[in-house]
Amino acid sequence: MIEIGDVSKTFTTRDGSTVTALSGIDLEIPDNQFISLVGPSGCGKSTLLRLVAGLVPADAGRIAIDGTAVREPRREVGIVFQNATLLPWASIVENVLFPLKIMHAMRPDSRDRAHDLLRLVGLGGFEDREPRELSGGMQQRAAICRALIHDPAILLMDEPFGALDALTREEMSLELLRIWTEQPKTILFVTHAITEAVLLSDRVVVMSPRPGRIDEIIDVPLPRPRSFDMEGLHEFQDCAQRIRSLIFGRSGRRLAGAA
Amino acid sequence: MPPEAAAPARRLSRLGQEVLLPTAVIVGLGLVWEASVHLFDIPVYLLPAPSVIWTDSVAIAGTIWGHTLATLYTVLVGFVVSIVISLPLAVALTSSRAVANAIYPILVLTQSIPKVALAPILVVLLGANELPRIVVTFLVAFFPLVIAIATGLMAVPSELIELGRSYKASVWQELHRIRLPYAIPFIFSGLKVAVALSVVGAVVGEFVNADQGLGYLIVSATAFFQVPVAFGALIILSVMGIVLFQAVVVIERVLFPWSAESGQNTIA
């Protein structure tokens, strides 16, 4: 269970002015739920992710995982970034084992676990390849394995499919759902893509910028397992439409402005 | 042509392009040189013909070999000293803004001093021995290396640093597991520049104070109008520079193949 209570975060820019990245954020995420953070650029969704990760301290409010306040990075958290950021000098399996080496947590069966994870995401046989030999999608799969290697209870994903092409993106969404079904985890997923958020999530948190705050939390009433066929269902359409109207305004005024 | 048959053919044509063509051009230029000297009757103390350079140099091959070894020693020691000092210096420079502000102006100052002007002062300071030559070599070679290593250490994507932090990597782990390996392509571009500059530095040192070395040989040979020998020494110095440069390239390819192919080093 992740508890975020009345959290605020302000950054000081280079010229000395302050920017309120987050203001009065309240959110509770039960175990093994899939939550998406959606919103325009600058709404603080990535900052919120980093606060939960313990990479950035909050200015005010409380963030707790299973009742313990988050003051520094914690072992039960795994992170996936927009770019795979694999170490270019290490083989795929070494990249997956990287967190264990940093945490001095290598065990005799760790290597087997890495191989199992790679097989789970369809990278069996690529263990000893180097990152530059893999496509972007395959690199991101390896990055997901790296985040899962220490079996974290919480997976934080910061636009993990943002750098991928549309087809690979859809494929990876289904892949992620499959992994999540096989190894249930609490997932906090930052994305720009509205349909992706609806397809994946139990709840979608819609945020608005300046200052970053939560507009609305939308429950996605779709059954599991999910598939892209559900995009046609009116529940899906309703959710997507609701999110869209929250982000762009009911009149479509900001949509026109953005275009 | 099937690809397996095409590959050796392509390799052969690449060999022709990369080795045979430049060799032919150099040999051609040498022939033009040789012919011009004979044709225009250029005196040997102005421009000796390649054949004269060869015979005069071979005549004192033993002496030249000794001078070559002396210079090579200075170059290599100066180069190694540059590496040993540049690495921690670059780490310190990138560790904090305060350290950078403290050290960086001094580094720039060492670069703005003309080394040729500094060399005689170093001889007074350190004595007429090997030391001032090595110090001059170091001063000429180390700066680009420090900048290259520091650039590499700073070029690590912030997400990679965050990744390390999220697993509570210590400062030391962040350095040797993430920053330093990431900087290797940058370090090798710096090493390539530094090794070429080491040759320059060693010769500058030998010009000012030495009783051996190719720089000393050039100074003493020209003083006695043995111009072919001076040319011989010059050619050996260039070959030494090329060989050392290529040695760095080979070391990178063998030890860090991923770095050599990363595209960071477009030269070599």
Side-chain angles (χ1 to χ4, degrees):
Chain A
M1 169 101 136
I2 306 173
E3 295 161 89
I4 302 167
D6 199 21
V7 162
S8 301
K9 178 71 191 174
T10 309
F11 288 109
T12 309
T13 57
R14 208 172 271 262
D15 59 11
S17 60
T18 56
V19 174
T20 308
L22 291 169
S23 157
I25 301 288
D26 278 301
L27 187 61
E28 275 196 7
I29 307 171
D31 284 346
N32 298 339
Q33 207 171 56
F34 199 125
I35 300 272
S36 286
L37 300 176
V38 181
S41 302
C43 71
K45 47 195 192 301
S46 288
T47 304
L48 184 56
L49 200 81
R50 279 165 175 74
L51 287 171
V52 175
L55 290 169
V56 180
D59 294 334
R62 170 187 147 83
I63 297 179
I65 295 174
D66 294 332
T68 329
V70 175
R71 288 203 185 79
E72 54 178 359
R74 296 165 56 124
R75 284 198 65 142
E76 62 263 47
V77 175
I79 305 187
V80 180
F81 296 102
Q82 176 166 357
N83 296 306
T85 56
L86 299 176
L87 309 173
W89 56 89
S91 67
I92 294 302
V93 69
E94 289 302 320
N95 265 291
V96 173
L97 290 169
F98 179 71
L100 296 182
K101 297 208 163 150
I102 290 285
M103 296 188 289
H104 302 293
M106 281 291 284
R107 286 204 307 262
D109 61 336
S110 295
R111 211 160 274 274
D112 291 334
R113 178 170 163 72
H115 282 260
D116 287 345
L117 278 170
L118 285 167
R119 220 168 297 129
L120 177 74
V121 301
L123 284 180
F126 288 92
E127 292 87 353
D128 297 321
R129 299 290 189 89
E130 285 182 16
R132 67 200 153 93
E133 298 178 280
L134 270 60
S135 70
M138 290 162 91
Q139 290 194 18
Q140 196 57 291
R141 283 165 210 256
I144 292 173
C145 291
R146 177 178 62 188
L148 294 174
I149 185 69
H150 60 299
D151 198 19
I154 297 167
L155 193 55
L156 304 176
M157 308 183 88
D158 189 4
E159 296 188 49
F161 309 143
L164 303 177
D165 64 86
L167 288 176
T168 313
R169 203 175 173 136
E170 292 200 351
E171 198 186 322
M172 293 292 289
S173 306
L174 297 177
E175 195 90 7
L176 178 62
L177 281 179
R178 196 168 57 77
I179 295 168
W180 180 63
T181 315
E182 284 186 31
Q183 311 189 349
K185 296 185 185 313
T186 311
I187 297 186
L188 195 54
F189 187 93
V190 169
T191 180
H192 275 117
I194 292 169
T195 49
E196 188 174 86
V198 176
L199 178 81
L200 294 172
S201 316
D202 295 312
R203 287 190 294 160
V204 178
V205 177
V206 183
M207 298 180 68
S208 65
R210 288 176 287 277
R213 60 198 146 71
I214 294 177
D215 255 2
E216 197 172 311
I217 299 173
I218 292 162
D219 288 301
V220 180
L222 296 167
R224 302 229 180 231
R226 306 261 176 93
S227 73
F228 277 98
D229 304 336
M230 293 180 176
E231 267 189 73
L233 297 178
H234 73 89
E235 290 97 334
F236 192 106
Q237 294 294 336
D238 288 351
C239 282
Q241 195 48 48
R242 177 81 191 125
I243 296 167
R244 220 165 261 131
S245 65
L246 282 166
I247 293 175
F248 297 116
R250 220 161 297 254
S251 62
R253 137 184 70 89
R254 286 176 57 190
L255 189 61
Chain B
M1 216 189 292
E4 55 272 23
R10 214 177 305 128
R11 210 171 305 137
L12 215 68
S13 93
R14 241 190 74 189
L15 190 78
Q17 281 278 323
E18 291 182 1
V19 180
L20 297 181
L21 185 64
T23 310
V25 170
I26 290 170
V27 169
L29 282 174
L31 288 176
V32 170
W33 178 357
E34 181 82 36
S36 311
V37 169
H38 292 297
L39 202 65
F40 301 110
D41 222 5
I42 301 172
V44 72
Y45 58 85
L46 281 185
L47 183 68
S51 57
V52 179
I53 296 173
W54 174 258
T55 48
D56 282 23
S57 298
V58 168
I60 52 162
T63 317
I64 291 185
W65 179 243
H67 288 304
T68 307
L69 286 184
T71 301
L72 188 63
Y73 175 79
T74 308
V75 169
L76 289 180
V77 173
F79 181 55
V80 169
V81 170
S82 301
I83 299 172
V84 170
I85 293 180
S86 297
L87 202 61
L89 207 56
V91 170
L93 267 177
T94 53
S95 63
S96 85
R97 186 136 286 278
V99 177
N101 287 339
I103 300 179
Y104 199 72
I106 301 172
L107 286 185
V108 175
L109 189 71
T110 65
Q111 289 315 294
S112 61
I113 300 172
K115 301 313 167 291
V116 188
L118 187 66
I121 298 171
L122 282 175
V123 174
V124 175
L125 201 68
L126 303 171
N129 53 42
E130 182 68 29
L131 195 58
R133 295 196 285 277
I134 290 172
V135 172
V136 170
T137 307
F138 157 75
L139 284 174
V140 171
F142 89 105
F143 189 68
L145 192 54
V146 172
I147 298 302
I149 300 174
T151 307
L153 292 174
M154 298 302 284
V156 183
S158 60
E159 287 181 335
L160 215 51
I161 297 299
E162 279 193 316
L163 185 83
R165 294 233 178 95
S166 74
Y167 299 117
K168 292 206 228 172
S170 62
V171 174
W172 166 243
Q173 280 181 321
E174 186 179 298
L175 187 66
H176 90 109
R177 288 226 185 245
I178 302 176
R179 282 191 193 271
L180 269 179
Y182 199 91
I184 279 174
F186 295 84
I187 294 176
F188 270 90
S189 355
L191 286 176
K192 286 170 200 164
V193 178
V195 82
L197 287 177
S198 293
V199 178
V200 175
V203 172
V204 168
E206 287 170 357
F207 274 0
V208 174
N209 160 58
D211 46 14
Q212 52 178 350
L214 293 170
Y216 164 78
L217 183 62
I218 291 175
V219 172
S220 55
T222 47
F224 294 106
F225 286 99
Q226 295 171 323
V227 180
V229 173
F231 267 90
L234 199 64
I235 292 167
I236 294 171
L237 278 173
S238 340
V239 171
M240 186 189 287
I242 295 168
V243 168
L244 290 173
F245 183 92
Q246 289 302 330
V248 175
V249 172
V250 168
I251 289 171
E252 182 182 19
R253 287 216 183 130
V254 170
L255 295 182
F256 309 103
W258 58 269
S259 163
E261 290 167 42
S262 69
Q264 180 62 40
N265 296 315
T266 42
I267 312 167

